Amino acid sequence: MKQNIDQHLTKSEKELVNKIRNNIKGNQDKILDYGYTGVIDDGHVDEIVRSIVVSLVNKRVLYLKEFMQGLALYGIDELLKKAPGLCKYYFVQGLIQDNIDANYLFSCLQPEYSEPGSSRRTLEEKVVDNFQDFLNSIEDTKVTGYSAPVAWNYKDEDEEKQKVPDDMIQEEKFETAEVNVPGMMMWLTGQKHIPLNGKKLSITIFFIMTVNLGIQSIPFVFL
């Protein structure tokens, strides 16, 4: 019976049920909060546990129905029904692994080089080689990124001139750049994991020579 119940519960819910199971008298208030109306003693442990599990599951089903109604506004509910296995990775925490290393990310790069033998080609290859060295360095070494205010804290000059009550002023928040290989992949592609459909990413690199410093041109790279 216990095994059948546990398979429907999350880790925190299992801990709650075990806590109540091991100390019925000390958790009477919690038992009543979950809607149990019977006798509360050690002789009715199974009844109490079943009642709590039903309450937990019913509440979760209610939340999921409301969640699906929200997804229906964007048509995602139909996608969930048609491909539940694929969508599970986006809704179940811990299933997606950030198994990205420097070699994988570098293999996704598709540079659009200039003609072989040209001076531009030599410079472009140096840029790509330097980027590969950078990926290897952030994979092997812990790099601390800079801290910067999050975008929603930005205020223009007109807003600054307006008087805002002290209790309405939000504390400025900062975020730190994720300086590692998955973070770099997130910056380039919008995701930091291998595609769930199994297809390999392709990141095209374009070199545009626009700035002249002395004799040598410096390439601007667009991905």
Side-chain angles (χ1 to χ4, degrees), residues 125-188:
E125 289 177 344
K126 286 183 178 180
V127 171
V128 174
D129 289 342
N130 288 335
F131 185 66
Q132 184 179 24
D133 292 339
F134 169 72
L135 291 178
N136 289 328
S137 69
I138 61 177
E139 181 180 56
D140 300 333
T141 306
K142 184 177 181 180
V143 181
T144 302
Y146 61 89
S147 295
V150 295
W152 63 265
N153 277 311
Y154 171 78
K155 294 181 180 180
D156 58 29
E157 295 181 359
D158 293 335
E159 291 177 329
E160 291 291 345
K161 294 178 181 178
Q162 297 178 0
K163 292 184 178 180
V164 181
D166 293 338
D167 58 345
M168 296 292 291
I169 298 177
Q170 294 182 337
E171 181 181 356
E172 189 173 23
K173 295 185 178 181
F174 291 80
E175 61 181 359
T176 302
E178 193 172 355
V179 189
N180 52 36
V181 177
M184 180 59 62
M185 185 166 176
M186 180 72 177
W187 179 67
L188 293 174

Side-chain angles (χ1 to χ4, degrees), residues 24-25 27-52:
I24 295 295
K25 292 296 184 180
N27 292 281
Q28 292 187 27
D29 291 340
K30 288 185 179 179
I31 293 172
L32 294 174
D33 289 341
Y34 283 99
Y36 180 74
T37 57
V39 179
I40 301 178
D41 58 24
D42 293 336
H44 295 79
V45 173
D46 289 339
E47 294 179 16
I48 294 172
V49 169
R50 282 196 296 268
S51 176
I52 293 174

Side-chain angles (χ1 to χ4, degrees), residues 23 25 57 68 80 90 97 110 117 143 155 158 182 188 195 204 209 214:
N23 186 7
K25 292 296 184 180
V57 173
M68 287 293 287
L80 279 172
Y90 295 99
Q97 302 296 327
Q110 302 295 327
V143 181
K155 294 181 180 180
D158 293 335
L188 293 174
T204 304
M209 305 286 187

Side-chain angles (χ1 to χ4, degrees), residues 101-109 135 181 184-185 188 203:
D101 57 17
N103 290 332
Y104 175 83
L105 180 54
F106 186 76
S107 68
C108 296
L109 302 181
L135 291 178
V181 177
M184 180 59 62
M185 185 166 176
L188 293 174
I203 306 173

